[in-house]
Amino acid sequence: MKILLTGGSGFIGSNFVRYVLRDRDDIEVVNLDALTYSGNPENLADVENDPRYTFVHGNILDIELCRKLIGECDAVIHMAAESHVDRSIIDARPFVESNVLGTQTLLDAMRKVDPDNAKTFVHVSTDEVFGDLPLDRPELKFSEATPYAPSSPYSASKAGSDMIARAYHHTFGMKVMVTNCSNNFGPYQFPEKVIPLFVTNLIEGKKVPLYGDGRNVRDWLHVEDHNEAVLAVLEKGEPGESYCIGGNNERSNLELTHAILGAMGKDESWIEPVKDRLGHDRRYAIDATKLKTQLGWEPTRSAWPAALESTVKWYVDHAEWWKRVKSGAYRGYYEQQYVNR
Ligand SMILES: NC(=O)c1ccc[n+]([C@@H]2O[C@H](COP(=O)([O-])OP(=O)(O)OC[C@H]3O[C@@H](n4cnc5c(N)ncnc54)[C@H](O)[C@@H]3O)[C@@H](O)[C@H]2O)c1
């Protein structure tokens, strides 16, 4: 099987490429990535010469390129997106462009080159499309039946892209599936996100900026568990269905911060409370029963403290990588475009 993966030079995508090349010798991957600020060729330097891997530098908004690449592949896994909530609060435009228009462009490209709907399209999305849950009702979790209620420009753009994906299945009969996943952690995450930001700040002798009261809860899933679930959906999922992916691993930001401080041998004095994020969602939690009962998937790599500690160690051991990323050496042309707006 030849998969067109969009956004393969980012955090989750680069881990997907490495996972598939390692564990599945029957799969080839073509990675289409625009190399925005979070797309980094160095994330895949160790596999760039693998005969089952091809990199194409391009944008999902380029419909001719998408048609050509989808025509040459058996399936699409769509991960390319603007992915950081804080950036969407500063400027939502690139989020609507890449996440909504980009998804529609890819689906239109697929419709043209696959009129018999032989190919499969997995749209990788987030649990943030469901809005948030109260802190005092631990029994409540998101499932595939939860209505969409996104709160940030990021989650609204992902919700829009999910709706487009579902509509193309309903209207044109395309084999589209949607995944809604909780927060990922693991190697090669851009150090604007909380875990690599906190670890690298501590190594640099800086405090860790904790939003608000730190009580916000997230369900943490190891990136390789996520990628295994995405592949299970591609191979065994039902067209038109969506699947919630979670880690059974709910933690408050304060708990996460203490765990990182503990792993780094630091005390509470390294926490710097900062003004809360605008519109900050309180709690996300996933009920992944459908994925377990229908596709036989369960997380096996996400349990704390071991999984978090090995991720912290990865950043400690890969200072050259994140120092270059933090210094902006891998800022893409797209980043430059919207910084200059
Ligand atoms: N990180 C998480 O915790 C998480 C959780 C659930 C879902 N997701 C979803 O998973 C996907 C990947 O997230 P990530 O954390 O790896 O993000 P990331 O920001 O690390 O990577 C995104 C990648 O997409 C590329 N890209 C962006 N716009 C593009 C465009 N217009 N054309 C081509 N390439 C483009 C970037 O260059 C980058 O390589 C996203 O769709 C995100 O919404 C992420």
Side-chain angles (χ1 to χ4, degrees):
M1 175 166 58
K2 192 167 176 179
I3 297 173
L4 175 66
L5 172 69
T6 69
S9 302
F11 163 49
I12 299 174
S14 61
N15 280 284
F16 182 87
V17 171
R18 196 170 290 100
Y19 161 64
V20 160
L21 295 179
R22 188 193 67 213
D23 284 10
R24 290 289 300 266
D25 58 12
D26 56 334
I27 294 180
E28 283 177 51
V29 186
V30 177
N31 166 22
L32 170 62
D33 199 297
L35 300 182
T36 70
Y37 76 94
S38 66
N40 178 354
E42 203 189 332
N43 293 356
L44 288 166
D46 55 329
V47 297
E48 65 186 4
N49 295 320
D50 191 305
R52 289 186 290 122
Y53 172 66
T54 311
F55 172 63
V56 178
H57 185 194
N59 202 303
I60 55 170
L61 289 159
D62 179 346
I63 192 159
E64 290 305 328
L65 178 61
C66 292
R67 274 185 202 161
K68 177 179 172 297
L69 296 175
I70 296 172
E72 294 163 359
C73 290
D74 306 301
V76 177
I77 295 182
H78 175 35
M79 293 191 182
E82 288 295 327
S83 67
H84 191 42
V85 175
D86 289 344
R87 284 176 184 260
S88 79
I89 293 169
I90 295 165
D91 184 2
R93 176 92 184 203
F95 288 75
V96 175
E97 287 174 355
S98 282
N99 302 1
V100 184
L101 282 176
T103 301
Q104 174 257 323
T105 304
L106 264 179
L107 286 161
D108 269 347
M110 182 144 158
R111 209 155 71 78
K112 270 274 185 279
V113 295
D114 183 31
D116 301 328
N117 295 330
K119 305 183 195 231
T120 306
F121 187 106
V122 177
H123 174 65
V124 174
S125 190
T126 167
D127 60 354
E128 300 188 31
V129 297
F130 301 121
D132 71 350
L133 296 165
L135 289 178
D136 58 357
R137 299 278 312 275
E139 76 284 6
L140 294 181
K141 290 180 190 255
F142 299 138
S143 77
E144 293 75 10
T146 307
Y148 276 35
S151 344
S152 71
Y154 163 66
S155 54
S157 70
K158 291 297 290 187
S161 66
D162 293 14
M163 296 297 181
I164 294 278
R166 289 170 174 213
Y168 274 59
H169 165 76
H170 186 84
T171 308
F172 305 114
M174 292 171 70
K175 285 204 274 187
V176 177
M177 288 161 285
V178 175
T179 61
N180 296 100
C181 186
S182 60
N183 283 48
N184 282 217
F185 66 100
Y188 295 105
Q189 188 166 29
F190 195 82
E192 64 190 352
K193 305 277 168 66
V194 62
I195 293 177
L197 178 71
F198 281 17
V199 176
T200 60
N201 268 15
L202 291 170
I203 298 171
E204 292 175 316
K206 295 183 201 155
K207 292 191 174 188
V208 299
L210 182 64
Y211 276 140
D213 60 12
R215 291 176 65 215
N216 309 64
V217 171
R218 302 292 182 259
D219 175 6
W220 288 97
L221 178 78
H222 193 271
V223 64
E224 203 160 296
D225 276 336
H226 181 191
N227 284 327
E228 186 183 63
V230 167
L231 195 55
V233 169
L234 176 72
E235 297 191 307
K236 298 187 269 182
E238 199 57 45
E241 292 293 310
S242 64
Y243 296 88
C244 284
I245 309 173
N248 301 326
N249 192 27
E250 281 182 58
R251 310 281 170 171
S252 72
N253 285 348
L254 199 55
E255 215 178 328
L256 167 71
T257 305
H258 280 130
I260 293 173
L261 290 172
M264 299 288 295
K266 304 279 188 190
D267 63 25
E268 278 197 354
S269 66
W270 289 84
I271 299 178
E272 182 174 10
V274 294
K275 196 165 163 254
D276 208 356
R277 168 188 277 169
L278 292 177
H280 204 173
D281 284 340
R282 294 302 276 174
R283 173 173 168 252
Y284 305 138
I286 287 273
D287 173 359
T289 305
K290 178 173 173 182
L291 205 45
K292 182 177 173 185
T293 53
Q294 296 188 7
L295 307 189
W297 176 89
E298 266 188 292
T300 56
R301 306 162 177 91
S302 300
W304 285 16
L308 180 69
E309 284 169 4
S310 69
T311 296
V312 168
K313 185 171 176 335
W314 189 88
Y315 290 100
V316 171
D317 292 345
H318 290 77
E320 275 182 31
W321 176 84
W322 59 258
K323 278 186 180 158
R324 273 197 290 278
V325 174
K326 269 193 153 177
S327 73
Y330 286 101
R331 282 188 169 190
Y333 63 90
Y334 200 70
E335 164 85 337
Q336 298 304 331
Q337 273 177 18
Y338 80 83
V339 164
N340 293 335
R341 258 171 222 235

